[in-house]
Amino acid sequence: GLYPKPPDLRAGATQRLTDGELFWIIDNGVRFTGMPAFGTGESTPAGDAQLWQLVQFVRHLPTLRPDELGQMEGMNPL
């Protein structure tokens, strides 16, 4: 129900973004969309490391195995 519709993070358009672009989007969010900023506004080594882990996760999504998906679904509280 979001507008604009969230992108498929596995899609080529997302995967063609550079690691730095993904980092910036995750850190700052995208205004006027459902994509919030996950950064704190203050760069710290620990915070930056978590953002880079999210970049690695987005890169891994196209090759996500069914067992990995099942493990994540098991952690979903909804």
Side-chain angles (χ1 to χ4, degrees):
L2 294 176
Y3 181 81
K5 189 175 176 122
D8 180 348
L9 297 178
R10 302 167 296 170
T14 303
Q15 292 297 318
R16 281 190 294 275
L17 294 171
T18 67
D19 289 349
E21 289 170 324
L22 286 173
F23 181 95
W24 191 93
I25 291 168
I26 294 167
D27 189 28
N28 297 288
V30 179
R31 290 184 64 176
F32 308 116
T33 71
M35 175 62 190
F38 287 92
T40 62
E42 183 177 320
S43 182
T44 65
D48 288 352
Q50 288 180 331
L51 295 176
W52 283 117
Q53 288 172 340
L54 285 170
V55 170
Q56 289 177 328
F57 177 72
V58 170
R59 292 288 185 224
H60 179 66
L61 286 173
T63 60
L64 196 65
R65 297 185 319 262
D67 63 306
E68 292 172 314
L69 182 59
Q71 183 181 14
M72 288 188 305
E73 286 173 347
M75 292 185 281
N76 188 346
L78 301 176

